[in-house]
Short mmCIF file of all heavy atoms in Angstrom, two decimals:
data_model
loop_
_atom_site.label_atom_id
_atom_site.label_comp_id
_atom_site.label_asym_id
_atom_site.label_seq_id
_atom_site.Cartn_x
_atom_site.Cartn_y
_atom_site.Cartn_z
N ILE R 1 -4.29 -1.85 1.29
CA ILE R 1 -5.19 -0.68 1.13
C ILE R 1 -4.48 0.35 0.31
O ILE R 1 -3.78 1.23 0.85
CB ILE R 1 -5.64 -0.14 2.50
CG1 ILE R 1 -6.19 -1.22 3.38
CG2 ILE R 1 -6.60 0.99 2.31
CD1 ILE R 1 -7.47 -1.86 2.84
N PRO R 2 -4.57 0.30 -1.02
CA PRO R 2 -3.96 1.35 -1.83
C PRO R 2 -4.73 2.67 -1.77
O PRO R 2 -5.94 2.70 -1.52
CB PRO R 2 -4.04 0.76 -3.26
CG PRO R 2 -4.38 -0.69 -3.10
CD PRO R 2 -5.19 -0.73 -1.84
N PHE R 3 -4.01 3.76 -2.02
CA PHE R 3 -4.64 5.05 -2.22
C PHE R 3 -3.77 5.87 -3.14
O PHE R 3 -2.58 5.60 -3.32
CB PHE R 3 -4.92 5.79 -0.89
CG PHE R 3 -3.73 6.25 -0.16
CD1 PHE R 3 -3.18 7.50 -0.39
CD2 PHE R 3 -3.12 5.44 0.82
CE1 PHE R 3 -2.06 7.95 0.31
CE2 PHE R 3 -1.99 5.88 1.53
CZ PHE R 3 -1.48 7.12 1.26
N ILE R 4 -4.37 6.91 -3.67
CA ILE R 4 -3.63 7.89 -4.53
C ILE R 4 -3.92 9.26 -4.00
O ILE R 4 -5.06 9.61 -3.70
CB ILE R 4 -4.11 7.78 -5.98
CG1 ILE R 4 -3.83 6.37 -6.57
CG2 ILE R 4 -3.49 8.86 -6.86
CD1 ILE R 4 -4.54 6.07 -7.87
N ASP R 5 -2.86 10.05 -3.82
CA ASP R 5 -3.00 11.43 -3.36
C ASP R 5 -2.72 12.36 -4.54
O ASP R 5 -1.59 12.66 -4.87
CB ASP R 5 -2.06 11.73 -2.22
CG ASP R 5 -2.31 13.06 -1.57
OD1 ASP R 5 -2.84 13.95 -2.23
OD2 ASP R 5 -1.95 13.27 -0.37
N PRO R 6 -3.75 12.86 -5.23
CA PRO R 6 -3.58 13.72 -6.39
C PRO R 6 -2.84 14.98 -6.08
O PRO R 6 -2.02 15.45 -6.88
CB PRO R 6 -5.00 13.98 -6.87
CG PRO R 6 -5.84 12.91 -6.28
CD PRO R 6 -5.20 12.58 -4.98
N LEU R 7 -3.08 15.57 -4.89
CA LEU R 7 -2.39 16.84 -4.57
C LEU R 7 -0.92 16.61 -4.35
O LEU R 7 -0.08 17.44 -4.75
CB LEU R 7 -3.04 17.42 -3.31
CG LEU R 7 -4.53 17.85 -3.44
CD1 LEU R 7 -5.03 18.43 -2.12
CD2 LEU R 7 -4.70 18.84 -4.57
N GLU R 8 -0.54 15.52 -3.68
CA GLU R 8 0.84 15.20 -3.45
C GLU R 8 1.51 14.96 -4.79
O GLU R 8 2.63 15.43 -5.05
CB GLU R 8 0.93 13.93 -2.60
CG GLU R 8 2.34 13.48 -2.31
CD GLU R 8 2.35 12.14 -1.57
OE1 GLU R 8 2.21 12.19 -0.33
OE2 GLU R 8 2.53 11.09 -2.21
N ASN R 9 0.86 14.21 -5.68
CA ASN R 9 1.44 13.96 -6.99
C ASN R 9 1.68 15.22 -7.82
O ASN R 9 2.68 15.37 -8.50
CB ASN R 9 0.57 12.96 -7.78
CG ASN R 9 0.74 11.54 -7.27
OD1 ASN R 9 1.73 11.19 -6.63
ND2 ASN R 9 -0.23 10.66 -7.57
N GLU R 10 0.65 16.12 -7.74
CA GLU R 10 0.80 17.37 -8.45
C GLU R 10 1.95 18.19 -7.90
O GLU R 10 2.75 18.79 -8.67
CB GLU R 10 -0.52 18.17 -8.33
CG GLU R 10 -0.51 19.50 -9.05
CD GLU R 10 -1.80 20.27 -8.93
OE1 GLU R 10 -2.67 19.80 -8.18
OE2 GLU R 10 -1.90 21.34 -9.53
N LYS R 11 2.08 18.24 -6.59
CA LYS R 11 3.13 19.05 -5.97
C LYS R 11 4.53 18.52 -6.30
O LYS R 11 5.45 19.34 -6.58
CB LYS R 11 2.95 19.06 -4.45
CG LYS R 11 3.98 19.91 -3.73
CD LYS R 11 3.67 20.00 -2.23
CE LYS R 11 4.68 20.89 -1.53
NZ LYS R 11 4.38 21.01 -0.06
N PHE R 12 4.64 17.23 -6.33
CA PHE R 12 5.99 16.65 -6.57
C PHE R 12 6.22 16.13 -7.99
O PHE R 12 7.19 15.44 -8.28
CB PHE R 12 6.29 15.57 -5.53
CG PHE R 12 6.35 16.09 -4.12
CD1 PHE R 12 5.26 15.86 -3.24
CD2 PHE R 12 7.38 16.87 -3.69
CE1 PHE R 12 5.30 16.43 -1.96
CE2 PHE R 12 7.41 17.39 -2.40
CZ PHE R 12 6.37 17.15 -1.57
N HIS R 13 5.24 16.43 -8.89
CA HIS R 13 5.38 16.15 -10.29
C HIS R 13 5.69 14.64 -10.52
O HIS R 13 6.63 14.29 -11.17
CB HIS R 13 6.48 17.02 -10.92
CG HIS R 13 6.35 18.47 -10.66
ND1 HIS R 13 5.34 19.24 -11.21
CD2 HIS R 13 7.08 19.28 -9.84
CE1 HIS R 13 5.49 20.49 -10.76
NE2 HIS R 13 6.53 20.54 -9.94
N ARG R 14 4.78 13.82 -9.99
CA ARG R 14 4.95 12.38 -10.18
C ARG R 14 3.58 11.75 -10.21
O ARG R 14 2.55 12.39 -9.95
CB ARG R 14 5.75 11.81 -9.00
CG ARG R 14 5.11 11.93 -7.63
CD ARG R 14 6.07 11.56 -6.52
NE ARG R 14 5.44 11.70 -5.21
CZ ARG R 14 6.12 11.94 -4.07
NH1 ARG R 14 7.44 12.05 -4.13
NH2 ARG R 14 5.47 12.02 -2.95
N LEU R 15 3.55 10.45 -10.48
CA LEU R 15 2.31 9.65 -10.50
C LEU R 15 2.55 8.43 -9.59
O LEU R 15 2.91 7.34 -10.04
CB LEU R 15 1.97 9.23 -11.93
CG LEU R 15 1.50 10.36 -12.85
CD1 LEU R 15 1.42 9.86 -14.28
CD2 LEU R 15 0.21 10.98 -12.39
N ARG R 16 2.42 8.67 -8.29
CA ARG R 16 2.71 7.65 -7.29
C ARG R 16 1.42 7.19 -6.59
O ARG R 16 0.58 8.00 -6.26
CB ARG R 16 3.67 8.18 -6.26
CG ARG R 16 3.91 7.24 -5.05
CD ARG R 16 4.79 7.83 -3.98
NE ARG R 16 6.17 7.92 -4.43
CZ ARG R 16 7.12 8.44 -3.71
NH1 ARG R 16 6.90 8.93 -2.51
NH2 ARG R 16 8.35 8.49 -4.18
N GLY R 17 1.29 5.90 -6.44
CA GLY R 17 0.22 5.33 -5.61
C GLY R 17 0.85 4.73 -4.39
O GLY R 17 2.00 4.33 -4.40
N TRP R 18 0.05 4.61 -3.33
CA TRP R 18 0.56 4.03 -2.06
C TRP R 18 -0.15 2.72 -1.79
O TRP R 18 -1.32 2.53 -2.12
CB TRP R 18 0.27 5.02 -0.91
CG TRP R 18 1.12 6.25 -0.99
CD1 TRP R 18 0.87 7.36 -1.69
CD2 TRP R 18 2.38 6.43 -0.32
NE1 TRP R 18 1.93 8.28 -1.53
CE2 TRP R 18 2.85 7.70 -0.68
CE3 TRP R 18 3.16 5.63 0.52
CZ2 TRP R 18 4.04 8.22 -0.22
CZ3 TRP R 18 4.33 6.15 1.01
CH2 TRP R 18 4.79 7.45 0.65
N THR R 19 0.59 1.79 -1.22
CA THR R 19 0.08 0.48 -0.86
C THR R 19 0.29 0.28 0.66
O THR R 19 1.41 -0.08 1.07
CB THR R 19 0.75 -0.66 -1.62
OG1 THR R 19 2.15 -0.55 -1.50
CG2 THR R 19 0.39 -0.55 -3.14
N GLU R 20 -0.71 0.59 1.44
CA GLU R 20 -0.55 0.59 2.88
C GLU R 20 -1.49 -0.42 3.54
O GLU R 20 -2.22 -1.10 2.88
CB GLU R 20 -0.82 2.01 3.44
CG GLU R 20 0.13 3.05 2.87
CD GLU R 20 1.55 2.96 3.46
OE1 GLU R 20 1.96 1.90 3.94
OE2 GLU R 20 2.25 3.99 3.44
N GLU R 21 -1.43 -0.47 4.91
CA GLU R 21 -2.24 -1.38 5.69
C GLU R 21 -2.16 -2.80 5.15
O GLU R 21 -3.14 -3.48 4.90
CB GLU R 21 -3.73 -0.91 5.73
CG GLU R 21 -3.92 0.54 6.02
CD GLU R 21 -3.40 0.96 7.40
OE1 GLU R 21 -3.20 0.07 8.26
OE2 GLU R 21 -3.18 2.13 7.60
N ILE R 22 -0.92 -3.23 4.99
CA ILE R 22 -0.67 -4.60 4.46
C ILE R 22 -0.70 -5.57 5.62
O ILE R 22 0.18 -5.56 6.47
CB ILE R 22 0.67 -4.65 3.70
CG1 ILE R 22 0.68 -3.64 2.56
CG2 ILE R 22 0.95 -6.05 3.17
CD1 ILE R 22 2.05 -3.43 1.87
N THR R 23 -1.70 -6.41 5.65
CA THR R 23 -1.91 -7.30 6.80
C THR R 23 -2.20 -8.73 6.35
O THR R 23 -2.78 -8.93 5.26
CB THR R 23 -3.05 -6.84 7.70
OG1 THR R 23 -4.33 -7.05 7.06
CG2 THR R 23 -2.94 -5.39 8.09
N THR R 24 -1.88 -9.68 7.20
CA THR R 24 -2.25 -11.09 7.05
C THR R 24 -2.61 -11.64 8.43
O THR R 24 -1.82 -11.44 9.38
CB THR R 24 -1.13 -11.92 6.40
OG1 THR R 24 -0.72 -11.28 5.17
CG2 THR R 24 -1.62 -13.32 6.09
N GLN R 25 -3.67 -12.37 8.54
CA GLN R 25 -3.98 -12.99 9.82
C GLN R 25 -2.94 -14.07 10.10
O GLN R 25 -2.36 -14.69 9.23
CB GLN R 25 -5.37 -13.60 9.75
CG GLN R 25 -6.51 -12.61 9.54
CD GLN R 25 -6.57 -11.55 10.60
OE1 GLN R 25 -6.36 -11.82 11.80
NE2 GLN R 25 -6.85 -10.30 10.21
N ARG R 26 -2.68 -14.28 11.40
CA ARG R 26 -1.56 -15.03 11.85
C ARG R 26 -1.43 -16.42 11.18
O ARG R 26 -0.36 -16.82 10.72
CB ARG R 26 -1.61 -15.19 13.37
CG ARG R 26 -0.41 -15.89 13.98
CD ARG R 26 -0.52 -16.04 15.49
NE ARG R 26 -0.61 -14.74 16.13
CZ ARG R 26 -0.80 -14.56 17.45
NH1 ARG R 26 -0.98 -15.66 18.20
NH2 ARG R 26 -0.84 -13.39 18.00
N GLU R 27 -2.53 -17.16 11.14
CA GLU R 27 -2.45 -18.56 10.61
C GLU R 27 -2.22 -18.60 9.11
O GLU R 27 -1.91 -19.69 8.55
CB GLU R 27 -3.74 -19.31 10.99
CG GLU R 27 -4.98 -18.84 10.29
CD GLU R 27 -5.67 -17.70 11.04
OE1 GLU R 27 -4.99 -16.99 11.83
OE2 GLU R 27 -6.88 -17.50 10.81
N TRP R 28 -2.36 -17.47 8.41
CA TRP R 28 -2.10 -17.43 6.95
C TRP R 28 -0.78 -16.81 6.56
O TRP R 28 -0.51 -16.66 5.39
CB TRP R 28 -3.25 -16.70 6.26
CG TRP R 28 -4.45 -17.58 6.04
CD1 TRP R 28 -5.59 -17.67 6.81
CD2 TRP R 28 -4.68 -18.51 4.94
NE1 TRP R 28 -6.48 -18.59 6.28
CE2 TRP R 28 -5.95 -19.10 5.15
CE3 TRP R 28 -3.89 -18.89 3.85
CZ2 TRP R 28 -6.47 -20.04 4.23
CZ3 TRP R 28 -4.39 -19.80 2.96
CH2 TRP R 28 -5.66 -20.39 3.17
N ARG R 29 0.03 -16.48 7.57
CA ARG R 29 1.30 -15.82 7.25
C ARG R 29 2.32 -16.78 6.62
O ARG R 29 2.25 -18.01 6.85
CB ARG R 29 1.87 -15.17 8.48
CG ARG R 29 1.07 -13.97 8.91
CD ARG R 29 1.54 -13.37 10.25
NE ARG R 29 0.57 -12.32 10.63
CZ ARG R 29 0.50 -11.82 11.88
NH1 ARG R 29 1.32 -12.29 12.82
NH2 ARG R 29 -0.38 -10.90 12.16
N LYS R 30 3.21 -16.19 5.82
CA LYS R 30 4.26 -16.95 5.12
C LYS R 30 3.70 -17.98 4.14
O LYS R 30 4.33 -18.98 3.84
CB LYS R 30 5.19 -17.61 6.14
CG LYS R 30 5.89 -16.62 7.10
CD LYS R 30 6.91 -17.25 7.95
CE LYS R 30 7.48 -16.23 8.97
NZ LYS R 30 8.08 -15.06 8.35
N LYS R 31 2.51 -17.67 3.60
CA LYS R 31 1.92 -18.52 2.58
C LYS R 31 1.65 -17.75 1.29
O LYS R 31 1.02 -18.29 0.38
CB LYS R 31 0.57 -19.12 3.12
CG LYS R 31 0.80 -20.05 4.32
CD LYS R 31 -0.51 -20.65 4.82
CE LYS R 31 -0.27 -21.52 6.01
NZ LYS R 31 -1.55 -22.15 6.53
N GLY R 32 2.14 -16.51 1.25
CA GLY R 32 2.03 -15.75 0.03
C GLY R 32 0.82 -14.86 -0.12
O GLY R 32 0.57 -14.29 -1.18
N VAL R 33 0.06 -14.68 0.95
CA VAL R 33 -1.16 -13.89 0.89
C VAL R 33 -0.83 -12.38 0.62
O VAL R 33 -1.35 -11.81 -0.33
CB VAL R 33 -1.97 -13.99 2.19
CG1 VAL R 33 -3.19 -13.10 2.11
CG2 VAL R 33 -2.39 -15.45 2.41
N ALA R 34 0.01 -11.83 1.46
CA ALA R 34 0.40 -10.40 1.28
C ALA R 34 1.10 -10.19 -0.04
O ALA R 34 0.82 -9.18 -0.72
CB ALA R 34 1.27 -9.97 2.43
N HIS R 35 1.93 -11.13 -0.43
CA HIS R 35 2.63 -11.01 -1.72
C HIS R 35 1.64 -10.93 -2.85
O HIS R 35 1.74 -10.04 -3.74
CB HIS R 35 3.54 -12.25 -1.87
CG HIS R 35 4.58 -12.11 -2.93
ND1 HIS R 35 5.79 -12.80 -2.86
CD2 HIS R 35 4.64 -11.39 -4.05
CE1 HIS R 35 6.51 -12.49 -3.92
NE2 HIS R 35 5.82 -11.63 -4.68
N ALA R 36 0.65 -11.80 -2.84
CA ALA R 36 -0.35 -11.83 -3.91
C ALA R 36 -1.19 -10.57 -3.94
O ALA R 36 -1.43 -9.96 -5.00
CB ALA R 36 -1.25 -13.06 -3.77
N LEU R 37 -1.63 -10.10 -2.76
CA LEU R 37 -2.44 -8.90 -2.70
C LEU R 37 -1.65 -7.67 -3.15
O LEU R 37 -2.18 -6.76 -3.78
CB LEU R 37 -3.00 -8.75 -1.30
CG LEU R 37 -4.03 -9.75 -0.85
CD1 LEU R 37 -4.40 -9.51 0.64
CD2 LEU R 37 -5.25 -9.74 -1.72
#
């Protein structure tokens, strides 16, 4: 779940995006799902 905080970027003079809520259902783990996403 990516997001961008424009106010945070403006305050700290950067262009950063966040990649959070990284999840994989149990039976699909260690198969490259999170890596690909």
Side-chain angles (χ1 to χ4, degrees):
I1 307 297
F3 69 88
I4 297 167
D5 188 335
L7 297 180
E8 179 186 280
N9 283 340
E10 180 180 6
K11 181 174 181 179
F12 296 106
H13 309 289
R14 64 190 179 206
L15 291 171
R16 173 184 290 178
W18 290 85
T19 54
E20 299 287 23
E21 312 299 340
I22 301 173
T23 71
T24 307
Q25 298 301 321
R26 185 181 298 176
E27 67 273 22
W28 277 97
R29 290 174 188 164
K30 301 188 184 301
K31 296 180 181 180
V33 177
H35 196 153
L37 292 176

